[in-house]
Amino acid sequence: MTEPIKVMTVFGTRPEAIKLFPLVHTLESDPRFVSRVCVSAQHRDMLDQVLSIAGIEPDHDLDLMTPGQTLDALTARALVDIGAVLDSEKPDWVVVQGDTTTVMAGAIAAYYRKIPVCHVEAGLRSGDIHHPWPEEVNRRVVGTFAALHCAPTQTAADALLSENTDAATVHVTGNTVIDALHWVTKRIEAEPELAAGLSELEERFAGKRIIGMTSHRRENFGEGMRGIAEAVKRIAARDDVAIIFPVHLNPNVREVMNAELAGFDNVALIEPLDYPHFARLLDISYLMLSDSGGVQEEAPALGKPVLVMRETTERPEGIEAGTARLVGTDPNTIVIEVTRLLDDEDAYRAMARAHNPFGDGASAQRIADLLAS
Ligand code: UD1
Ligand code: UDP
């Protein structure tokens, strides 16, 4: 019998954890693999929320997060500490997902040890190194040396091929976020109490249309965040809507949003939601207002219009499918687009159709099969 393949999955933030838990579950239950998990804990609470619901106990927890961490300090610590874990575990593969600092540092640490890297959600490109920042460059760095590129869509695969990536290493697998969404939906169906924590807000806002909101992009800090807050204030002047906004723990987000938006009756600034509760928020929302990457993928799958508060996106598929629209951070544009969706039924109906450009929920299995082959 051949030796099982030792796979070290490395992640550090909420979205990486959400998009990698389906793969970790798959690897753990497949005798072809020995699965090891290393978390940088670039995020702490928001990572632990996902580990807890997914039932994952990391083999290595580097506990790197510090309040208000800088990109360079975090990168340096992650590179050194992930490197030490790779020296002790000597995996056959390192798996990383997406575009965060942990992803770039984890991949480079593997490269320095000549361990092949599998990049999940490979090939996303906005074409602008400052939007999203620094994620666009993180992704490109990993894309230059990954041994296996798991592109979520054909568009992403084409982007890699246009950069002369070896075609034999590029595979369209779909995005594991859809696996995660299916998993959590089934969990909630079986145990509704997992997502029952929003019921008080649901009662308070009964009869109003809910706008679900998230915001955290570094390139929006400062002026962009203030523009977003101004738009929310104007939207909140309507009495037929309510905004539920789980505020990201980054102090650059919280300070602005708490200062600008506290005290509005129909704006609920709440703590980050765990994944079942966020899925519930998606479900009860009339539309989403977000600068998040993951939400741009989940909303189309659920047929929820999403107005994307960014100048560009590396996820054009949601826009092509008609469920997502770029609105930037200018308050006038955001208010015009939200108002259109609230007041023009045809415009709303045109966006509120379920599409699955990002996958079919079987991505983790495809990735596992690629690792085995
Ligand atoms: C990071 C990623 C970004 C990703 C986002 C997902 C980088 C450079 N940024 O951005 O690509 O889209 O995560 O959410 O990799 N904090 C807490 N508790 C937490 C998490 C964060 O207090 O659980 C606070 C800390 O003060 C921390 C700060 O937020 O220093 C920033 O965290 P960091 O991971 O550096 O950046 P994000 O803005 O979260
Ligand atoms: N999410 C969550 N709770 C929240 C907000 C978001 O579980 O309060 C989930 C969301 O469903 C998506 C992911 O977190 O899967 C997106 O993470 P984030 O916006 O932090 O990062 P990005 O996707 O922009 O990198």
Side-chain angles (χ1 to χ4, degrees):
M1 213 183 101
T2 51
E3 285 284 301
I5 303 160
K6 190 175 193 182
V7 180
M8 172 70 75
T9 308
V10 178
F11 53 95
T13 67
R14 169 172 68 193
E16 295 161 73
I18 288 173
K19 291 171 173 182
L20 281 173
F21 80 68
L23 181 61
V24 171
H25 288 169
T26 303
L27 295 174
E28 277 172 352
S29 63
D30 187 330
R32 292 176 295 176
F33 300 103
V34 170
S35 171
R36 293 276 185 274
V37 171
C38 170
V39 294
S40 70
Q42 170 179 339
H43 283 175
R44 186 69 277 172
D45 325 60
M46 286 158 54
L47 172 74
D48 292 345
Q49 283 183 319
V50 187
L51 294 175
S52 165
I53 184 70
I56 293 175
E57 285 180 23
D59 301 284
H60 302 270
D61 187 331
L62 305 176
D63 201 21
L64 290 185
M65 196 199 86
T66 56
Q69 59 206 0
T70 60
L71 292 178
D72 36 14
L74 175 64
T75 304
R77 289 199 308 274
L79 184 57
V80 172
D81 289 6
I82 296 170
V85 169
L86 298 183
D87 286 338
S88 72
E89 288 279 5
K90 298 191 174 27
D92 300 304
W93 279 96
V94 166
V95 176
V96 291
Q97 191 286 339
D99 54 20
T100 68
T101 297
T102 295
V103 173
M104 182 190 61
I108 291 180
Y111 167 68
Y112 284 169
R113 288 157 182 80
K114 299 194 174 142
I115 301 169
V117 171
C118 167
H119 189 201
V120 176
E121 199 183 80
L124 275 62
R125 299 288 184 271
S126 71
D128 178 345
I129 60 166
H130 299 295
H131 294 94
W133 176 79
E135 292 83 358
E136 177 77 2
V137 165
N138 287 343
R139 267 190 237 113
R140 291 196 207 181
V141 167
V142 182
T144 58
F145 59 80
L148 181 55
H149 305 263
C150 298
T153 63
Q154 189 58 49
T155 304
D158 290 344
L160 288 161
L161 297 175
S162 75
E163 293 167 7
N164 295 326
T165 313
D166 178 359
T169 65
V170 178
H171 300 268
V172 179
T173 57
N175 196 314
T176 51
V177 75
I178 306 298
D179 303 35
L181 198 54
H182 288 184
W183 184 90
V184 82
T185 305
K186 275 198 206 116
R187 284 291 308 269
I188 297 169
E189 273 164 19
E191 292 174 71
E193 60 279 15
L194 282 178
L198 287 175
S199 55
E200 214 173 284
L201 278 180
E202 290 178 44
E203 270 169 42
R204 181 173 136 201
F205 295 144
K208 295 184 193 290
R209 282 174 291 178
I210 304 289
I211 299 178
M213 180 168 165
T214 76
S215 176
H216 73 84
R217 299 240 72 82
R218 273 174 195 258
E219 67 272 18
N220 287 346
F221 290 170
E223 201 188 325
M225 287 280 158
R226 282 192 296 275
I228 291 170
E230 174 59 26
V232 173
K233 280 189 210 174
R234 292 193 210 162
I235 296 161
R238 292 176 65 126
D239 61 8
D240 61 338
V241 297
I243 295 148
I244 299 184
F245 181 5
V247 185
H248 195 283
L249 293 177
N250 193 320
N252 293 294
V253 182
R254 293 176 86 79
E255 278 162 24
V256 175
M257 296 307 174
N258 289 336
E260 299 285 329
L261 297 176
F264 285 82
D265 281 349
N266 52 351
V267 180
L269 298 179
I270 58 174
E271 293 304 311
L273 293 168
D274 67 15
Y275 197 41
H277 283 96
F278 196 77
R280 175 72 187 159
L281 177 59
L282 281 162
D283 196 34
I284 63 173
S285 290
Y286 187 72
L287 67 95
M288 297 297 297
L289 196 51
S290 178
D291 62 12
S292 158
V295 174
Q296 286 178 67
E297 295 153 346
E298 293 160 339
L302 299 169
K304 296 289 173 175
V306 55
L307 297 176
V308 181
M309 299 182 292
R310 297 193 190 185
E311 305 305 326
T312 60
T313 182
E314 65 287 4
R315 294 168 166 90
E317 295 87 349
I319 293 178
E320 282 153 17
T323 334
R325 181 184 290 256
L326 284 178
V327 297
T329 57
D330 174 65
N332 295 327
T333 314
I334 297 173
V335 172
I336 288 169
E337 294 295 336
V338 169
T339 306
R340 207 165 64 86
L341 286 180
L342 290 171
D343 294 342
D344 179 342
E345 263 181 48
D346 290 338
Y348 183 80
R349 230 178 290 117
M351 283 185 83
R353 282 186 295 119
H355 296 278
N356 274 316
F358 296 104
D360 59 2
S363 304
Q365 187 61 56
R366 283 190 199 99
I367 295 167
D369 290 342
L370 287 166
L371 286 167
S373 67

